[in-house]
Amino acid sequence: MPELPEVETVRRSLEGLVGRRVVRAEVRSPVLVRYPALAEFLTRVSGRTFTALDRRAKYLLLKLDSGDDLMVHLKMTGRLLQQAPLDPVEPHTHIILHLDDGSELRFADTRKFGGFYLIGQDREGAPPGFRRLGPEPLSEEFTPAYLRQVLGKRKGRIKSLLLNQDIIAGLGNIYADEALFRARIHPGREAASLTPAEIHHMHEVVNQVILESLALGGTSFSSYVDGKGNKGHNVENLRVYGREGQPCVECGDPIARIVIGGRSAHFCPRCQPGRTSRRRNRAVGSAAKSKRAQRRDE
Ligand SMILES: [Zn+2]
């Protein structure tokens, strides 16, 4: 699923939209217009000009001259592409915005989990959770002190808390696993057991993995591409995510995958020794459960 670096890369690649006017909106799958109702969406989008491209966590915010924001959530398999009319329309293209320079902004989504929201300044209609988003990595609010304070009062395992968008917005499975590996913290550790030094290190490596991925244009496993159709190059930079069974870059032991809170966690059992009990280590669960978690992460 696209996380902060991927969505930011899409945003940067679509900067050319600023100043473009929407001549006509073509909605082939009305269900992907999440808010408002289709007729109102079409009226409020048509004839409007993009004034800026913003992003909050994993949400793209395409600002319109009406004051509305066209919010796009890519979810797992969404792709937002600016293409020429003669470029082949890829399968599963559900929404096309025809622009005044003849180009088209196309939204394709194989699994149809993503979608468009047109929201005003009151944010009515925004997806649940949008208002609760916590600070993002690399932001001023994201400090070691913040992380200490927020982790100190939450129960739960560090991996699950890192994925909680109310705590850190924009972080997903890939970068949570990568950050935990670099901090040498077992993903199943109770967050409350982390020392101040470990939290400090955590903070540093979360920023580090996000920065590195941004520099490489994000991580492309299957569907993710930027707004021009280019894949990111961060896959080669991954040390644990998606590397189950392959040798650890530090110690050579095989990378393991377990399920924590319904999500896959990739880690090196030697470099990230666990303090979990035997009972907790059974969190791996059944093969079916593990498969489901893997699917959710793709
Ligand atoms: Zn290792």
Side-chain angles (χ1 to χ4, degrees):
M1 174 196 279
E3 303 178 26
L4 191 158
E6 290 76 38
V7 180
E8 176 60 19
T9 304
V10 172
R11 189 196 69 76
R12 292 176 184 176
S13 69
L14 291 174
E15 287 275 26
L17 285 177
V18 173
R20 297 275 61 83
R21 190 166 48 85
V22 179
V23 177
R24 184 168 65 89
E26 179 185 342
V27 177
R28 298 174 174 185
S29 298
V31 69
L32 293 191
V33 172
R34 308 285 177 189
Y35 185 89
L38 182 60
E40 189 186 338
F41 175 86
L42 294 173
T43 314
R44 274 165 68 180
V45 162
S46 302
R48 291 302 169 188
T49 300
F50 293 111
T51 56
L53 266 58
D54 211 344
R55 179 193 55 76
R56 178 75 175 102
K58 304 174 190 175
Y59 300 93
L60 278 167
L61 297 161
L62 315 183
K63 299 194 163 293
L64 298 171
D65 61 352
S66 57
D68 285 335
D69 285 347
L70 179 60
M71 179 193 279
V72 182
H73 200 182
L74 303 173
K75 283 288 181 94
M76 294 182 75
T77 53
R79 291 173 163 204
L80 192 64
L81 295 156
Q82 188 182 10
Q83 294 176 310
L86 290 178
D87 289 334
V89 177
E90 63 174 276
H92 308 285
T93 294
H94 305 298
I95 300 173
I96 300 177
L97 300 184
H98 299 266
L99 307 177
D100 62 349
D101 64 350
S103 70
E104 299 179 356
L105 184 65
R106 299 172 178 168
F107 182 67
D109 190 351
T110 318
R111 297 199 186 178
K112 288 190 167 185
F113 291 145
F116 280 27
Y117 302 79
L118 190 68
I119 55 171
Q121 290 314 306
D122 58 6
R123 293 305 189 226
E124 194 188 324
F130 183 74
R131 286 168 210 258
R132 295 197 311 266
L133 290 170
E136 299 185 10
L138 306 177
S139 69
E140 270 178 36
E141 302 79 40
F142 181 65
T143 61
Y146 166 76
L147 209 52
R148 245 193 340 267
Q149 177 232 332
V150 77
L151 294 181
K153 60 182 185 193
R154 300 262 187 160
K155 273 201 185 319
R157 305 190 199 182
I158 184 63
K159 172 66 191 283
S160 301
L161 295 190
L162 289 179
L163 293 181
N164 183 334
Q165 300 297 298
D166 301 3
I167 298 178
I168 308 177
L171 210 58
N173 223 21
I174 299 175
Y175 302 106
D177 282 359
E178 291 297 309
L180 286 166
F181 174 76
R182 294 193 189 192
R184 299 195 164 240
I185 294 169
H186 189 286
R189 284 265 305 274
E190 286 296 325
S193 77
L194 265 60
T195 66
E198 284 177 320
I199 292 178
H200 207 274
H201 196 188
M202 226 16 265
H203 171 264
E204 191 186 310
V205 295
V206 162
N207 281 341
Q208 199 180 72
V209 296
I210 296 291
L211 260 184
E212 287 179 18
S213 182
L214 275 171
L216 292 168
T219 305
S220 292
F221 270 110
S222 46
S223 39
Y224 161 72
V225 289
D226 72 10
K228 303 290 180 214
N230 303 308
K231 283 180 178 288
H233 300 287
N234 194 54
V235 173
E236 298 96 80
N237 192 33
L238 300 180
R239 303 185 188 169
V240 287
Y241 187 84
R243 298 193 66 244
E244 184 184 5
Q246 295 176 43
C248 168
V249 293
E250 297 285 339
C251 73
D253 274 13
I255 298 300
R257 185 175 69 88
I258 57 174
V259 178
I260 295 173
R263 304 290 302 274
S264 289
H266 305 77
F267 70 107
C268 172
R270 187 194 286 222
C271 295
Q272 297 161 266
R275 289 188 195 166
T276 52
S277 68
R278 271 191 72 188
R279 190 179 58 81
R280 278 187 198 138
N281 277 334
R282 279 211 313 245
V284 179
S286 67
K289 189 169 145 194
S290 174
K291 263 224 172 72
R292 271 203 302 281
Q294 197 160 31
R295 269 207 300 278
R296 212 164 307 153
D297 301 329
E298 276 167 12

